[in-house]
Amino acid sequence: MNTDFLPPELVALLGAGFWHAAVVFLRVSTMVSVLPAVGEMYVSTRVKLAVAIAFTLIVAPALPAMPTPASTMQYFGLAASEAVIGLALGVSIRFFIHTIQTAGSIAAQSTSLSQVLGGIGAEAMPAISAVLMIAATALAVMMGLHVRVAAFMIYSYDMFPVGQFPAAASLSDWGVHRVSQSFSLAFALAAPFLITAVIYNLALGVINRAMPQLMVAFVGAPLITFGGLFILMIAGPMILQIWRDALFTFVLDPGVGMR
């Protein structure tokens, strides 16, 4: 291998193992930057870097040795392709956080809980979204998200070999499929709140027609708010379990939707 672009002393010190780990780090670090829990905006960059190095030390020994880049341009090509692949894989997992946030937003809009506790996340979100997002993230970490993500990273090298840009058509189809699945799952998770809101508004309309002089909005507003909180208490564990199962199913088989 031609390593004339590096000082001989540095080549002798680092060796081929360094390049193997460096190439793995390119993909792993971009994935870690957007992963749930460790990739949040409020997590320190130093913590993200430490987590990326830890994942690199886990993933690198499980992969066959990668050749030393022959030139600086080849390394830059590896950096570009691995960054794109890592970002695509990380975003595909990140979609599940957007799923639970979207479900919470739909539920909050349906039950008049859309303005309480809105600034807890990096972006303004309703109270139910904040509660579900924090609970889902904590549940995923407690259920071994880091172990499953490490296995996901190792498997990703079968899906996307090192140094090869993914086919644009396949990647776009996969991305569209992930987005559609995300919104479909979010709507399904928010279904109890939507059904309750529809029944509540129908009943409110009937009461208003029967008793026009009654200010039904003032009577019904506390009722729908309490109903939303009650549904969250009862259906919350089921929502989190369905979300967790969907997340771990995807991590086990991320190729669904690719040609």
Side-chain angles (χ1 to χ4, degrees):
M1 292 291 178
N2 180 18
T3 56
D4 294 338
F5 67 99
L6 290 176
E9 296 81 3
L10 185 60
V11 174
L13 176 64
L14 299 178
F18 169 80
W19 289 112
H20 175 74
V23 173
V24 173
F25 179 78
L26 291 172
R27 180 178 301 192
V28 169
S29 59
T30 51
M31 287 185 63
V32 168
S33 66
V34 293
L35 280 178
V38 297
E40 307 297 338
M41 291 185 63
Y42 49 78
V43 176
S44 170
T45 304
R46 295 182 180 88
V47 174
K48 295 178 183 179
L49 178 60
V51 172
I53 293 174
F55 273 122
T56 301
L57 296 177
I58 295 171
V59 174
L63 300 174
M66 300 176 189
T68 304
S71 64
T72 305
M73 293 306 299
Q74 183 181 1
Y75 183 76
F76 286 159
L78 283 174
S81 62
E82 292 301 291
V84 169
I85 293 171
L87 186 61
L89 294 173
V91 169
S92 67
I93 299 179
R94 187 73 190 177
F95 272 135
F96 285 91
I97 294 297
H98 293 296
T99 296
I100 201 71
Q101 290 177 341
T102 303
S105 297
I106 295 173
Q109 293 289 345
S110 302
T111 56
S112 301
L113 290 170
S114 59
Q115 300 300 326
V116 184
L117 203 64
I120 194 170
E123 299 179 358
M125 68 181 82
I128 296 181
S129 291
V131 171
L132 290 178
M133 185 196 73
I134 295 173
T137 303
L139 177 64
V141 173
M142 291 172 60
M143 296 298 294
L145 177 64
H146 56 292
V147 177
R148 298 173 187 267
V149 166
F152 176 80
M153 291 175 177
I154 296 172
Y155 175 71
S156 71
Y157 286 87
D158 293 332
M159 295 174 55
F160 302 105
V162 176
Q164 297 182 16
F165 275 94
S170 298
L171 191 61
S172 62
D173 289 344
W174 186 52
V176 170
H177 178 74
R178 294 312 315 154
V179 171
S180 64
Q181 288 294 312
S182 174
F183 280 99
S184 176
L185 179 60
F187 187 83
L189 294 178
F193 299 91
L194 287 171
I195 295 172
T196 301
V198 170
I199 296 175
Y200 160 79
N201 285 291
L202 288 175
L204 209 63
V206 172
I207 295 173
N208 189 44
R209 292 286 294 179
M211 303 176 63
Q213 69 277 13
L214 179 65
M215 300 295 293
V216 292
F218 291 102
V219 177
L223 180 63
I224 189 62
T225 301
F226 173 78
L229 295 175
F230 181 77
I231 294 173
L232 179 64
M233 180 183 67
I234 299 300
M238 179 187 66
I239 291 174
L240 294 176
Q241 181 179 0
I242 295 174
W243 178 86
R244 179 206 64 189
D245 293 343
L247 171 61
F248 288 166
T249 298
F250 169 75
V251 171
L252 290 174
D253 186 15
V256 176
M258 294 191 70
R259 290 191 289 179

